[in-house]
Amino acid sequence: MEFVRTNTSLPVPQVYHAFERASRVYIVMQRIEAPNLATQWCRRSEASKNKVLEQLKTMFEELRGLEAPKGVGVANVDLGPILDHRLPRQSQWGPYSCIQDFHKALVDDQDLAAVEDDSFSDLQELARFYHQQPWHHPVFTHGDLSSLNILCEQDEVVGIIDWETAGWLPPYWEYVTAWNVNPQNAFWQEEVDKFLTPYPLARDMDAVRRKYFGFY
Protein backbone atom coordinates (compact mmCIF):
# COMPACT_ATOMS: atom_id res chain seq x y z
CA MET A 1 0.00 0.00 0.00
CA GLU A 2 2.82 2.39 0.80
CA PHE A 3 4.37 1.68 -2.59
CA VAL A 4 1.11 2.59 -4.34
CA ARG A 5 0.56 5.57 -2.07
CA THR A 6 4.04 6.91 -2.76
CA ASN A 7 4.09 6.34 -6.51
CA THR A 8 0.50 7.03 -7.60
CA SER A 9 -2.51 9.15 -6.72
CA LEU A 10 -4.72 6.12 -5.99
CA PRO A 11 -6.63 6.41 -2.69
CA VAL A 12 -5.22 3.72 -0.40
CA PRO A 13 -5.19 3.51 3.40
CA GLN A 14 -2.16 5.01 5.10
CA VAL A 15 -0.06 2.46 6.99
CA TYR A 16 0.82 3.65 10.49
CA HIS A 17 2.70 0.64 11.81
CA ALA A 18 3.49 -2.99 10.99
CA PHE A 19 4.79 -5.52 13.48
CA GLU A 20 5.06 -9.24 14.19
CA ARG A 21 3.79 -10.90 17.35
CA ALA A 22 3.51 -14.59 18.14
CA SER A 23 4.55 -15.44 14.56
CA ARG A 24 1.74 -13.34 13.10
CA VAL A 25 2.13 -10.06 11.21
CA TYR A 26 -0.17 -7.14 12.04
CA ILE A 27 -0.71 -3.87 10.19
CA VAL A 28 -2.15 -0.75 11.79
CA MET A 29 -3.65 1.41 9.07
CA GLN A 30 -6.05 4.22 8.36
CA ARG A 31 -9.73 3.34 8.43
CA ILE A 32 -11.61 4.85 5.49
CA GLU A 33 -15.18 5.54 6.52
CA ALA A 34 -17.09 4.73 3.34
CA PRO A 35 -19.25 1.87 2.04
CA ASN A 36 -17.96 -0.56 -0.56
CA LEU A 37 -19.52 -0.73 -4.00
CA ALA A 38 -21.01 -4.16 -3.40
CA THR A 39 -23.52 -2.77 -0.93
CA GLN A 40 -24.76 0.07 -3.14
CA TRP A 41 -24.05 -0.59 -6.81
CA CYS A 42 -27.46 -1.89 -7.86
CA ARG A 43 -29.16 1.17 -6.34
CA ARG A 44 -27.02 3.67 -8.24
CA SER A 45 -28.22 5.54 -11.31
CA GLU A 46 -26.44 4.92 -14.63
CA ALA A 47 -24.92 8.40 -14.41
CA SER A 48 -23.54 7.63 -10.96
CA LYS A 49 -22.13 4.29 -12.11
CA ASN A 50 -20.43 5.92 -15.07
CA LYS A 51 -18.76 8.53 -12.85
CA VAL A 52 -17.35 5.80 -10.61
CA LEU A 53 -16.19 3.65 -13.53
CA GLU A 54 -14.43 6.60 -15.18
CA GLN A 55 -12.51 7.24 -11.96
CA LEU A 56 -11.51 3.57 -11.74
CA LYS A 57 -10.38 3.57 -15.36
CA THR A 58 -8.14 6.59 -14.77
CA MET A 59 -6.73 5.12 -11.56
CA PHE A 60 -5.79 1.78 -13.05
CA GLU A 61 -4.33 3.31 -16.18
CA GLU A 62 -2.06 5.21 -13.80
CA LEU A 63 -1.17 2.01 -11.95
CA ARG A 64 -0.31 0.31 -15.26
CA GLY A 65 2.07 3.17 -15.97
CA LEU A 66 4.43 2.13 -13.17
CA GLU A 67 7.66 0.74 -14.58
CA ALA A 68 8.61 -2.76 -13.48
CA PRO A 69 12.07 -3.21 -11.94
CA LYS A 70 14.65 -4.50 -14.38
CA GLY A 71 14.72 -8.29 -14.62
CA VAL A 72 11.46 -8.94 -12.75
CA GLY A 73 9.05 -11.47 -14.21
CA VAL A 74 6.33 -12.24 -11.66
CA ALA A 75 6.83 -11.14 -8.05
CA ASN A 76 5.35 -9.11 -5.23
CA VAL A 77 6.26 -5.49 -4.60
CA ASP A 78 9.41 -6.56 -2.71
CA LEU A 79 10.33 -8.96 -5.55
CA GLY A 80 9.41 -11.96 -3.40
CA PRO A 81 6.64 -14.54 -3.92
CA ILE A 82 3.14 -13.41 -4.79
CA LEU A 83 0.31 -14.38 -2.43
CA ASP A 84 -3.00 -15.61 -3.81
CA HIS A 85 -5.22 -17.98 -1.82
CA ARG A 86 -7.44 -18.49 -4.88
CA LEU A 87 -4.75 -20.35 -6.80
CA PRO A 88 -4.67 -24.15 -6.35
CA ARG A 89 -2.29 -26.22 -4.23
CA GLN A 90 -0.44 -23.34 -2.57
CA SER A 91 -0.81 -19.70 -1.58
CA GLN A 92 2.66 -18.40 -2.38
CA TRP A 93 4.07 -18.50 -5.92
CA GLY A 94 7.49 -17.55 -7.20
CA PRO A 95 9.13 -15.20 -7.63
CA TYR A 96 9.68 -15.98 -11.31
CA SER A 97 12.26 -14.47 -13.63
CA CYS A 98 9.80 -14.33 -16.52
CA ILE A 99 6.07 -14.63 -17.21
CA GLN A 100 6.61 -17.92 -19.04
CA ASP A 101 7.95 -19.50 -15.83
CA PHE A 102 4.82 -18.33 -13.99
CA HIS A 103 2.63 -19.93 -16.66
CA LYS A 104 4.63 -23.14 -16.40
CA ALA A 105 4.03 -23.27 -12.65
CA LEU A 106 0.28 -22.70 -13.13
CA VAL A 107 0.06 -25.94 -15.13
CA ASP A 108 2.16 -28.04 -12.75
CA ASP A 109 5.26 -27.73 -14.95
CA GLN A 110 3.60 -29.88 -17.61
CA ASP A 111 4.62 -29.43 -21.24
CA LEU A 112 1.30 -28.57 -22.84
CA ALA A 113 2.99 -28.17 -26.21
CA ALA A 114 3.46 -31.95 -26.19
CA VAL A 115 -0.30 -32.60 -26.08
CA GLU A 116 -1.16 -34.19 -29.44
CA ASP A 117 -4.62 -35.59 -28.75
CA ASP A 118 -7.04 -33.31 -30.60
CA SER A 119 -9.74 -34.10 -28.04
CA PHE A 120 -7.76 -31.72 -25.82
CA SER A 121 -7.73 -28.88 -28.33
CA ASP A 122 -8.41 -26.40 -25.53
CA LEU A 123 -5.13 -27.41 -23.83
CA GLN A 124 -3.33 -27.02 -27.15
CA GLU A 125 -4.73 -23.51 -27.44
CA LEU A 126 -3.68 -22.76 -23.85
CA ALA A 127 -0.15 -23.90 -24.73
CA ARG A 128 -0.05 -21.49 -27.68
CA PHE A 129 -1.31 -18.67 -25.48
CA TYR A 130 1.23 -19.31 -22.72
CA HIS A 131 4.14 -19.70 -25.14
CA GLN A 132 3.48 -16.65 -27.29
CA GLN A 133 6.51 -14.47 -27.82
CA PRO A 134 7.31 -11.95 -26.73
CA TRP A 135 5.29 -11.41 -23.58
CA HIS A 136 5.01 -7.77 -22.60
CA HIS A 137 6.66 -6.63 -19.40
CA PRO A 138 4.72 -7.34 -16.20
CA VAL A 139 2.54 -4.57 -14.84
CA PHE A 140 1.74 -3.65 -11.28
CA THR A 141 -1.52 -5.37 -10.42
CA HIS A 142 -3.94 -5.20 -7.49
CA GLY A 143 -5.13 -8.74 -8.18
CA ASP A 144 -8.52 -8.64 -6.46
CA LEU A 145 -10.61 -5.80 -7.85
CA SER A 146 -13.89 -7.01 -6.44
CA SER A 147 -16.58 -4.42 -5.76
CA LEU A 148 -16.04 -5.38 -2.11
CA ASN A 149 -12.58 -3.78 -2.24
CA ILE A 150 -13.61 -0.41 -3.72
CA LEU A 151 -14.90 2.22 -1.29
CA CYS A 152 -17.07 5.08 -2.48
CA GLU A 153 -18.50 8.18 -0.83
CA GLN A 154 -21.42 9.26 -3.01
CA ASP A 155 -19.86 9.32 -6.51
CA GLU A 156 -16.24 9.58 -5.41
CA VAL A 157 -13.89 6.61 -5.12
CA VAL A 158 -12.17 7.20 -1.77
CA GLY A 159 -10.44 3.90 -1.14
CA ILE A 160 -8.97 0.84 -2.84
CA ILE A 161 -8.27 -1.78 -0.18
CA ASP A 162 -6.99 -5.36 0.30
CA TRP A 163 -3.67 -5.26 -1.55
CA GLU A 164 -2.30 -8.59 -0.31
CA THR A 165 -2.46 -10.14 -3.81
CA ALA A 166 -0.70 -7.20 -5.46
CA GLY A 167 2.52 -7.47 -7.40
CA TRP A 168 4.16 -7.52 -10.81
CA LEU A 169 2.06 -9.85 -12.95
CA PRO A 170 1.14 -10.49 -16.60
CA PRO A 171 -0.76 -7.61 -18.25
CA TYR A 172 -3.98 -9.64 -18.44
CA TRP A 173 -3.96 -10.81 -14.79
CA GLU A 174 -5.86 -7.84 -13.36
CA TYR A 175 -8.65 -8.39 -15.86
CA VAL A 176 -9.11 -12.14 -15.38
CA THR A 177 -8.99 -11.93 -11.58
CA ALA A 178 -11.48 -9.06 -11.51
CA TRP A 179 -13.79 -10.84 -13.94
CA ASN A 180 -13.75 -14.17 -12.06
CA VAL A 181 -15.78 -12.92 -9.14
CA ASN A 182 -17.31 -14.86 -6.29
CA PRO A 183 -21.03 -15.73 -6.58
CA GLN A 184 -22.05 -12.90 -4.22
CA ASN A 185 -20.38 -10.43 -6.58
CA ALA A 186 -21.69 -11.77 -9.91
CA PHE A 187 -23.10 -8.41 -11.06
CA TRP A 188 -19.54 -7.03 -11.17
CA GLN A 189 -18.67 -9.08 -14.27
CA GLU A 190 -20.80 -6.72 -16.34
CA GLU A 191 -18.73 -3.73 -15.20
CA VAL A 192 -15.14 -4.96 -15.43
CA ASP A 193 -14.78 -4.34 -19.18
CA LYS A 194 -15.78 -0.72 -18.62
CA PHE A 195 -12.73 0.23 -16.54
CA LEU A 196 -10.06 -2.37 -17.35
CA THR A 197 -8.62 -3.24 -20.75
CA PRO A 198 -10.54 -6.37 -21.82
CA TYR A 199 -8.54 -9.51 -22.58
CA PRO A 200 -11.23 -11.90 -23.86
CA LEU A 201 -8.74 -14.52 -25.09
CA ALA A 202 -6.89 -14.45 -21.77
CA ARG A 203 -10.23 -14.85 -19.97
CA ASP A 204 -11.06 -17.90 -22.07
CA MET A 205 -7.60 -19.37 -21.59
CA ASP A 206 -7.72 -18.85 -17.85
CA ALA A 207 -11.01 -20.75 -17.82
CA VAL A 208 -9.18 -23.66 -19.49
CA ARG A 209 -6.38 -23.41 -16.94
CA ARG A 210 -8.88 -23.52 -14.09
CA LYS A 211 -10.76 -26.43 -15.70
CA TYR A 212 -7.71 -28.69 -15.70
CA PHE A 213 -5.45 -27.32 -13.00
CA GLY A 214 -7.63 -25.89 -10.27
CA PHE A 215 -10.32 -23.29 -9.63
CA TYR A 216 -9.89 -20.05 -7.77
Side-chain angles (χ1 to χ4, degrees):
M1 286 185 292
E2 284 302 291
F3 173 78
V4 175
R5 186 180 181 87
T6 301
N7 292 282
T8 75
S9 61
L10 272 68
V12 298
Q14 182 177 355
V15 175
Y16 298 127
H17 189 50
F19 62 94
E20 183 175 343
R21 182 175 182 179
S23 300
R24 299 190 69 177
V25 175
Y26 297 85
I27 300 176
V28 181
M29 70 181 79
Q30 174 191 12
R31 181 175 181 177
I32 299 175
E33 295 283 356
N36 63 51
L37 285 181
T39 62
Q40 53 178 246
W41 190 254
C42 295
R43 299 193 300 272
R44 286 179 175 268
S45 67
E46 287 304 310
S48 173
K49 291 178 180 179
N50 289 336
K51 288 180 182 178
V52 172
L53 293 169
E54 281 299 318
Q55 291 171 66
L56 292 174
K57 183 177 180 179
T58 299
M59 288 176 185
F60 285 92
E61 286 176 349
E62 181 182 1
L63 197 69
R64 297 295 165 268
L66 294 175
E67 186 174 348
K70 186 176 181 179
V72 69
V74 171
N76 67 18
V77 67
D78 295 322
L79 307 187
I82 63 167
L83 175 70
D84 198 328
H85 295 295
R86 299 162 302 181
L87 290 173
R89 302 181 304 282
Q90 60 200 55
S91 295
Q92 294 193 350
W93 293 71
Y96 303 100
S97 60
C98 62
I99 291 174
Q100 288 89 336
D101 285 349
F102 174 57
H103 287 157
K104 187 177 179 181
L106 289 177
V107 296
D108 291 337
D109 293 332
Q110 296 188 36
D111 183 9
L112 299 186
V115 176
E116 297 181 353
D117 188 340
D118 288 342
S119 61
F120 294 101
S121 60
D122 52 354
L123 281 178
Q124 295 169 348
E125 190 176 3
L126 180 63
R128 289 191 292 271
F129 176 72
Y130 278 174
H131 289 91
Q132 62 181 282
Q133 296 286 346
W135 270 98
H136 294 295
H137 294 299
V139 298
F140 199 75
T141 301
H142 178 282
D144 190 13
L145 283 180
S146 161
S147 62
L148 295 164
N149 292 333
I150 302 169
L151 308 182
C152 261
E153 187 62 51
Q154 297 182 357
D155 291 341
E156 182 182 359
V157 179
V158 296
I160 308 292
I161 60 173
D162 286 356
W163 289 84
E164 65 268 20
T165 56
W168 302 102
L169 287 144
Y172 69 84
W173 197 253
E174 191 86 273
Y175 177 72
V176 299
T177 54
W179 197 87
N180 284 298
V181 296
N182 63 47
Q184 291 75 31
N185 200 29
F187 69 89
W188 195 237
Q189 284 184 333
E190 298 181 11
E191 314 301 339
V192 172
D193 285 24
K194 300 173 185 176
F195 71 93
L196 293 177
T197 300
Y199 289 90
L201 176 60
R203 186 182 67 202
D204 292 344
M205 291 300 94
D206 198 61
V208 174
R209 192 270 304 171
R210 289 182 289 113
K211 173 183 175 182
Y212 290 100
F213 299 100
F215 291 91
Y216 285 112

